[in-house]
Amino acid sequence: MKMAALCSEFGDLVQIKKQLISVISLCKERGLLHSSKWASELAFALDRLPKDELPPSSPFTEEDAQDLDALTLAKSYFDLKEYDRSAYFLKGCCSRKAYFLYMYSRYLSGEKKKDDETVDSLGPLEKGQVRNEALRELRVELSKKHNAGELDGFTLYLYGVVLRKLDLLKEAVEVFVEAIHMLPLHWGAWLELSNLVTNIEMLKSLSLPDCWIKDFFMAHMYTELQMIKEALQKYQNLIEAGFSKSTYIISQIAVAYHNIRDIDQALALFNELREQDPYRIDNMDTFSNLLYVKSMKPELSYLAHNLVEIDKYRVETCCVIGNYYSLRSQHEKAALYFQRALKLNPRCLGAWTLMGHEYMEMKNTSAAIQAYRHAIEVNKRDYRAWYGLGQTYEILKMPFYCLYYYRKAHQLRPNDSRMLVALGESYEKLSQQLEAKKCYWRAYSVGDVEKMALLKLAKLHEQLNESDDAAQCYMLYIQDIFSCGEQLEHAEVSTALRYLGQYYFKNKLYDEASLCAQRCCDYNDAREEGKALLRQISQVRDQIETPSADLFAPLSNNNTPVRRVSPLNLISFTP
């Protein structure tokens, strides 16, 4: 009976639980541990089944009986990672289960040898001199079986992996879709397919089975494609459907909040996850990124020590320790631990990106560029690596390169103000002021995280002698800074007040100019200019005896943008 026939809607959670139990058994028999783990975590989140409702074991064919002894022996070697030995004893077996394990053992043997050779290599991943020598042979053999229609869902999945490793991506997508149709409950195939989907148009064009697991895939894809609102809605639907206890879903929601920089919400979910599953290591590197951003040294130290006690040779543990040392500004030690993570798993995306950041801190731009390029080879959707490359070339004063990489980052994160500000700075350096203005205004419109866009836009208007626009931007900037409730380190409120004071003075708006000058006196770097402006205003008022009604006369005739925001609003804000 094909697994495709077992698909059901969320209404029947008992049936879903049975399907999960069945696929867990199938994956375990074939050594697909990560798919088995995913299904087990999901099954654990559902209610327990009574004994009489447990699904029967998978059917046992005549071929399975013939291969039983060889398969049992080979599987024991496989579990001990003696892949060549496992493949040797499976050669000649005819059952589908034995054939998959035979081909999978050969594939993993080649991967293990490749990893052993690339541990100390700094060459590009999977495109350097070191390759899995078994791939071409496996492709030839699996292709023949595929053309004859002799591959089951698991072996189709393996064929897709081989094609992906050989960079035959179009064929790999087709094979993964075929594998999913034949065996919808194998999460590994969905996950491999997700790594090949580059945009939403490609996702919509895929012909996928109408199965409940498709919702998990779509939620995962929305997160990967930075469509966080849609992803959170999908996960909320899954929770309401009956998966409220799933630690997988909690972790994915936390990652989604991390991606949109909702740090407090993400931290709360990770803390909840740690309470439910205190020995969990998955996603803890993302948790450590959040603690790093919030500069929570004690919490990050505790997490690092805790993970070392659980398993110090896990990739995530090394990344957490690296973040801990980075927060303490021990960048050499941090880079060392990210290198350790990459020795454990050369395809660890986070470690490559974080190592690039550390090399940037150490002013080693060539090593940083290499690390970021590795990250892009692992996942072309990683905006952090593209953004890191842009920053590196910015240090090297190569604005055309900056522009290219920042554009890539912006395409992946169209509503991230940091990418837009970086783009604006690049355009400004290339004397493309109009484009720079558009970027800065767009950054402010989407929600400026670092409160820098308006300031840069105002300074650009100032350079171009567009005084009315500059004044409007400075006024918005001051209101934006004070309304956020905390004084930012880089805030240049005094710069804005100085300009506005002079602007109002030139426009004979002496009350407003006086207010700005008084506020300048609150800042050390603008105090003298503020006092000088107050003296100027006093002198002008003494010389020209103007009735108060005339003082505000320009207000009614003034059509400049700055009048849209009353400067007197400054009174309600305190720096």
Side-chain angles (χ1 to χ4, degrees):
M1 180 178 173
K2 282 188 178 181
M3 194 64 72
L6 293 172
C7 282
S8 65
E9 293 303 315
F10 286 114
D12 191 356
L13 291 176
V14 172
Q15 189 65 16
I16 289 173
K17 175 93 171 187
K18 288 180 180 179
Q19 294 166 21
L20 287 168
I21 292 171
S22 297
V23 83
I24 289 164
S25 174
L26 294 173
C27 289
K28 276 185 179 176
E29 290 171 352
R30 290 161 176 81
L32 297 166
L33 303 181
H34 290 288
S35 294
S36 174
K37 176 178 141 184
W38 182 86
S40 299
E41 286 182 346
L42 216 54
F44 185 77
L46 300 175
D47 293 337
R48 186 174 57 84
L49 292 179
K51 184 182 175 182
D52 56 344
E53 288 197 33
L54 290 172
S57 56
S58 54
F60 205 69
T61 65
E62 183 63 37
E63 290 173 335
D64 290 330
Q66 288 176 11
D67 296 341
L68 180 62
D69 291 338
L71 187 59
T72 306
L73 178 65
K75 184 63 169 60
S76 67
Y77 293 146
F78 181 93
D79 291 341
L80 292 168
K81 299 186 179 179
E82 298 183 51
Y83 301 122
D84 288 328
R85 203 174 177 192
S86 174
Y88 175 79
F89 284 98
L90 286 169
K91 198 170 185 179
C93 290
C94 50
S95 68
R96 288 192 165 188
K97 197 185 301 180
Y99 180 72
F100 172 82
L101 200 61
Y102 169 62
M103 299 300 277
Y104 194 38
S105 296
R106 289 170 61 191
Y107 165 75
L108 288 178
S109 170
E111 284 295 291
K112 188 170 182 291
K113 288 166 186 170
K114 186 195 78 173
D115 288 345
D116 289 345
E117 288 182 48
T118 55
V119 158
D120 298 314
S121 169
L122 290 175
L125 285 170
E126 296 187 9
K127 293 188 174 116
Q129 297 177 350
V130 183
R131 276 190 177 274
N132 181 344
E133 297 298 332
L135 290 176
R136 296 191 186 283
E137 290 179 20
L138 290 171
R139 185 204 167 196
V140 170
E141 293 178 39
L142 288 167
S143 178
K144 288 177 183 175
K145 291 265 187 181
H146 182 235
N147 293 335
E150 295 175 7
L151 298 182
D152 64 2
F154 287 112
T155 323
L156 276 169
Y157 155 75
L158 179 58
Y159 183 35
V161 171
V162 169
L163 290 171
R164 180 181 67 76
K165 292 278 185 178
L166 290 169
D167 290 324
L168 301 168
L169 304 184
K170 188 181 177 184
E171 295 92 324
V173 169
E174 292 170 1
V175 170
F176 283 130
V177 169
E178 190 180 344
I180 287 164
H181 275 280
M182 193 170 287
L183 191 70
L185 297 184
H186 178 210
W187 180 243
W190 291 94
L191 216 50
E192 284 288 346
L193 179 62
S194 75
N195 292 329
L196 299 176
V197 176
T198 52
N199 53 53
I200 188 64
E201 289 74 23
M202 183 179 176
L203 179 62
K204 287 177 180 176
S205 70
L206 294 174
S207 171
L208 301 171
D210 190 17
C211 179
W212 60 264
I213 203 169
K214 180 183 175 183
D215 282 356
F216 283 88
F217 171 74
M218 293 302 287
H220 176 78
M221 278 312 313
Y222 287 147
T223 306
E224 288 290 302
L225 295 171
Q226 305 300 327
M227 298 168 65
I228 305 301
K229 185 180 176 183
E230 292 84 349
L232 290 172
Q233 185 58 55
K234 276 283 182 191
Y235 284 125
Q236 187 57 41
N237 294 343
L238 290 169
I239 286 171
E240 291 169 3
F243 291 95
S244 57
K245 296 176 185 175
S246 168
T247 52
Y248 167 77
I249 290 178
I250 294 170
S251 70
Q252 291 302 108
I253 294 173
V255 168
Y257 278 121
H258 164 267
N259 287 357
I260 55 170
R261 296 176 69 83
D262 189 340
I263 296 171
D264 294 332
Q265 189 72 35
L267 282 172
L269 285 165
F270 273 119
N271 284 321
E272 180 188 335
L273 196 61
R274 294 266 292 162
E275 284 178 19
Q276 289 188 28
D277 192 357
Y279 292 94
R280 181 189 182 95
I281 295 182
D282 296 341
N283 305 114
M284 287 301 108
D285 50 338
T286 305
F287 183 30
S288 75
N289 292 343
L290 294 164
L291 296 174
Y292 179 94
V293 170
K294 294 283 278 188
S295 298
M296 299 168 74
K297 279 187 185 178
E299 291 84 352
L300 187 51
S301 174
Y302 175 77
L303 179 65
H305 282 94
N306 185 234
L307 294 186
V308 166
E309 287 176 8
I310 298 169
D311 187 352
K312 68 178 180 179
Y313 294 113
R314 276 282 291 269
V315 171
E316 294 88 344
T317 303
C318 293
C319 288
V320 171
I321 297 170
N323 272 336
Y324 170 69
Y325 281 121
S326 181
L327 190 57
R328 294 184 59 178
S329 299
Q330 294 178 253
H331 301 296
E332 290 82 0
K333 272 192 173 181
L336 178 65
Y337 274 95
F338 294 134
Q339 285 171 350
R340 286 186 184 179
L342 291 164
K343 286 186 178 182
L344 292 167
N345 178 10
R347 291 190 60 81
C348 178
L349 173 64
W352 281 118
T353 308
L354 292 169
M355 194 160 72
H357 296 343
E358 295 312 308
Y359 283 134
M360 283 277 283
E361 292 288 344
M362 292 187 277
K363 311 297 183 198
N364 188 345
T365 50
S366 60
I369 288 169
Q370 197 172 31
Y372 288 135
R373 290 193 187 282
H374 276 301
I376 289 166
E377 283 172 16
V378 174
N379 184 355
K380 287 183 172 60
R381 293 194 302 262
D382 182 30
Y383 76 93
R384 295 170 303 171
W386 292 108
Y387 184 64
L389 279 169
Q391 287 181 310
T392 313
Y393 282 110
E394 194 172 336
I395 290 171
L396 295 172
K397 293 182 169 52
M398 300 170 74
F400 280 106
Y401 281 72
C402 290
L403 192 61
Y404 173 77
Y405 291 116
Y406 284 143
R407 272 178 180 165
K408 287 282 190 182
H410 170 59
Q411 286 167 9
L412 293 165
R413 300 269 290 189
N415 293 321
D416 193 320
S417 62
R418 294 167 301 162
M419 313 301 145
L420 286 159
V421 169
L423 261 179
E425 288 174 337
S426 298
Y427 280 124
E428 207 173 333
K429 284 169 187 169
L430 293 167
S431 300
Q432 296 184 38
Q433 279 86 359
L434 183 62
E435 295 299 324
K437 285 182 197 174
K438 288 178 185 175
C439 289
Y440 291 143
W441 183 252
R442 171 75 178 151
Y444 168 66
S445 303
V446 298
D448 187 10
V449 176
E450 296 175 337
K451 309 292 182 191
M452 290 291 287
L454 280 172
L455 181 66
K456 290 183 178 295
L457 182 56
K459 287 181 176 179
L460 184 55
H461 282 307
E462 191 179 344
Q463 288 169 21
L464 297 171
N465 296 317
E466 298 167 353
S467 57
D468 292 344
D469 291 329
Q472 171 72 2
C473 291
Y474 275 130
M475 177 56 66
L476 288 172
Y477 171 70
I478 290 171
Q479 291 185 325
D480 211 22
I481 290 293
F482 289 152
S483 65
C484 73
E486 57 182 89
Q487 193 73 346
L488 303 173
E489 287 179 18
H490 62 71
E492 294 186 40
V493 176
S494 59
T495 305
L497 287 169
R498 272 200 301 258
Y499 183 85
L500 285 169
Q502 293 294 337
Y503 171 79
Y504 289 132
F505 183 76
K506 287 173 187 174
N507 284 280
K508 299 182 181 180
L509 300 171
Y510 300 121
D511 286 352
E512 287 86 344
S514 178
L515 179 60
C516 290
Q518 288 167 21
R519 300 308 293 269
C520 279
C521 294
D522 295 334
Y523 299 88
N524 292 331
D525 59 339
R527 186 169 294 139
E528 293 306 317
E529 289 183 49
K531 287 178 180 177
L533 182 58
L534 284 170
R535 284 194 295 271
Q536 282 181 288
I537 294 167
S538 180
Q539 289 169 8
V540 170
R541 280 175 167 168
D542 289 343
Q543 291 169 5
I544 306 170
E545 293 296 324
T546 309
S548 59
D550 292 336
L551 179 67
F552 289 95
L555 292 179
S556 59
N557 299 321
N558 189 357
N559 295 319
T560 60
V562 78
R563 301 308 305 156
R564 284 182 242 145
V565 183
S566 170
L568 298 178
N569 288 346
L570 283 171
I571 294 170
S572 61
F573 298 112
T574 53

